[in-house]
Amino acid sequence: MVVDSSLALGVLLVVAAAAGWVIARLTTRRTTTTRSAVPPADFYRGLNHLLRDESDKALAVLQSIAEADSGMVEIHFALGTLFRQRGETDRAIRIHQNLLARPDLARRHREQALFSLAEDYLKAGLFDRAEALFVQLIDQGVQRSEALQRLVSIYERQRDWNQAIDARRQLANLLPGNHAETIAQYYCEIAQQARETNDLAQMRAALKSARGASRNIVRGALMRADLAILKDDVSLAVKLYRKLLESTPELAALVLLRLHGCFDATSAELSRTLREALRRQPELANHLAKAALAADLSQNDVVAETIRTYIADNPALATLSENYEDNYSALTEMLHSLGLARLQFRCRECGYSAGDLFWQCPACQSWDSAQTDIRITAEATTEI
Ligand SMILES: [Zn+2]
């Protein structure tokens, strides 16, 4: 049976609230013997509604319990979380604000209510208020890593990269993860902003910081080569592009396009650069052939040679190629114009796919998760 995640969460919350209720009552019984340590019958009615996926009825029952017993703090937290999960953030905010207004609220409950209220604001898109509360919680040392994770996500959404760098650095001290690589991505974002305003000095400084944070991200290398082009240093750019082809052959489509901006497609310099990269990285041939087919860039003789080998290894394409008498330019143009060769970028974390390269997945927010996905088909149904 597939259980809806919000339903499962609701049931968990209510069971947790019941546990809290029982503990609270057992503690009370030490001093008074008049109250039972068994949750009221309505409680089970509410739980039944949740199990039947009748969240409206469950909420009504839980609300009536909360109203009858204002001391049952856990039920209020369960209600607040359920409202937030349902997108009813106004009601969730009211519940948590009411809890915080209680002068007798225990410290741990006050901290929990503050965190929950910050989560409500985040869900409601009230980023300034959420940020202020998460900062307050971090300063108080309450749920620091969770609060920092939320802060990082707020700064990423607001594209406030300097704040994101600060928060991510603090998080790196508390939680293992690819923080250095992500910080390098933030610097690349700053470099990209500088590029858009034609501030090449700022772009260079940000790329240097990105490299300082992590040498492992190809985006920084790609942007350093792009910066060299912007500064008319073509020989440095070509050297960097060639190194990228060798280290990350799956980026062939992006690099080949850029190399075509540096040289004439049939130039000896382009052939020499590609031949050198192929000598150092034989795996590049397959990537280069597919990239050239998808991007309609097959005029160069070295590229054409990789296409010839690729086609020879794929009988379905070989038949098609015969019709074009090994004229790869014409073949590539046909594949391209009919959409039989397509370059896509696919997120390795969630499968999101787009025609343009993304460095942060718009669907799951993962960084550097895009993989080149080139699909070449001889006809609509035959995929190579
Ligand atoms: Zn994704």
Side-chain angles (χ1 to χ4, degrees):
M1 187 179 77
V2 178
V3 179
D4 178 68
S5 61
S6 61
L7 169 66
L9 177 69
V11 174
L12 274 175
L13 284 169
V14 172
V15 171
W21 193 90
V22 170
I23 291 165
R25 286 295 172 267
L26 284 172
T27 312
T28 311
R29 281 182 77 188
R30 288 194 189 121
T31 50
T32 63
T33 53
T34 51
R35 301 183 82 167
S36 161
V38 179
D42 277 352
F43 192 89
Y44 296 108
R45 204 151 55 80
L47 191 58
N48 271 333
H49 285 313
L50 271 178
L51 289 169
R52 287 195 212 111
D53 205 6
E54 298 168 338
S55 60
D56 286 336
K57 289 180 184 171
L59 277 174
V61 173
L62 292 177
Q63 266 180 306
S64 71
I65 302 171
E67 281 159 16
D69 187 346
S70 63
M72 199 167 169
V73 173
E74 286 81 5
I75 281 287
H76 291 264
F77 279 121
L79 270 175
T81 307
L82 278 175
F83 279 133
R84 189 195 316 125
Q85 289 291 321
R86 288 159 54 99
E88 296 180 58
T89 47
D90 284 354
R91 300 176 86 177
I93 288 169
R94 223 163 27 243
I95 286 177
H96 295 128
Q97 282 176 334
N98 286 342
L99 280 171
L100 285 167
R102 291 186 185 183
D104 59 340
L105 194 67
R107 185 177 166 183
R108 70 182 174 90
H109 286 143
R110 182 167 301 280
E111 291 170 351
Q112 188 182 346
L114 264 182
F115 195 94
S116 301
L117 185 59
E119 294 251 74
D120 300 337
Y121 287 146
L122 185 58
K123 175 89 174 184
L126 301 167
F127 297 132
D128 287 354
R129 291 189 197 181
E131 178 191 354
L133 283 189
F134 285 127
V135 167
Q136 185 184 331
L137 287 161
I138 292 162
D139 288 346
Q140 292 173 2
V142 179
Q143 291 186 259
R144 285 194 75 214
S145 64
E146 291 86 353
L148 276 166
Q149 281 174 291
R150 308 299 193 281
L151 261 191
V152 160
S153 130
I154 289 172
Y155 295 140
E156 285 185 1
R157 283 197 231 185
Q158 294 180 318
R159 306 181 66 72
D160 187 341
W161 305 114
N162 285 312
Q163 295 262 52
I165 289 166
D166 282 349
R168 178 71 71 171
R169 284 206 171 118
Q170 292 181 60
L171 189 58
N173 294 325
L174 302 172
L175 211 65
N178 300 329
H179 300 295
E181 286 79 7
T182 310
I183 287 170
Q185 290 285 348
Y186 296 159
Y187 279 119
C188 286
E189 289 289 341
I190 293 172
Q192 183 58 36
Q193 286 174 344
R195 178 184 188 159
E196 281 156 19
T197 57
N198 212 26
D199 185 347
L200 299 189
Q202 160 84 352
M203 183 181 175
R204 184 174 176 276
L207 289 176
K208 195 175 170 198
S209 299
R211 196 167 156 82
S214 172
R215 287 173 172 259
N216 296 334
I217 63 160
V218 293
R219 183 187 188 184
L222 199 57
M223 289 188 82
R224 279 196 299 281
D226 292 347
L227 175 64
I229 292 285
L230 291 170
K231 294 174 118 181
D232 290 328
D233 191 347
V234 176
S235 69
L236 173 62
V238 170
K239 187 178 155 195
L240 292 169
Y241 287 141
R242 200 201 69 217
K243 282 189 171 178
L244 265 169
L245 284 177
E246 292 162 19
S247 65
T248 325
E250 53 273 24
L251 283 186
L254 296 176
V255 178
L256 191 59
L257 202 63
R258 284 164 165 82
L259 281 172
H260 273 73
C262 299
F263 301 117
D264 185 78
T266 56
S267 73
E269 291 99 322
L270 178 58
S271 300
R272 197 163 47 240
T273 303
L274 293 174
R275 208 173 281 122
E276 179 64 12
L278 281 164
R279 187 180 67 77
R280 294 170 186 238
Q281 175 54 277
E283 278 180 31
L284 174 63
N286 204 40
H287 292 284
L288 208 53
K290 289 175 77 173
L293 288 169
D296 191 10
L297 295 170
S298 59
Q299 298 92 331
N300 181 270
D301 58 342
V302 177
V303 172
E305 187 53 44
T306 65
I307 294 176
R308 187 173 295 121
T309 308
Y310 179 74
I311 288 176
D313 290 342
N314 292 285
L317 266 186
T319 309
L320 197 66
S321 175
E322 281 168 17
N323 298 333
Y324 284 83
E325 296 172 341
D326 292 341
N327 180 342
Y328 298 122
S329 265
L331 172 67
T332 309
E333 201 179 323
M334 182 280 294
L335 287 171
H336 198 64
S337 62
L338 292 182
L340 296 175
R342 278 193 316 132
L343 169 62
Q344 294 277 109
F345 297 92
R346 185 178 299 275
C347 173
R348 78 170 74 85
E349 300 295 332
C350 75
Y352 172 86
S353 183
D356 293 323
L357 176 62
F358 51 88
W359 295 105
Q360 184 181 26
C361 174
C364 73
Q365 274 71 54
S366 297
W367 285 95
D368 208 6
S369 60
Q371 288 179 309
T372 309
D373 179 22
I374 299 178
R375 288 166 189 246
I376 297 164
T377 50
E379 51 189 287
T381 54
T382 315
E383 195 168 297
I384 305 297

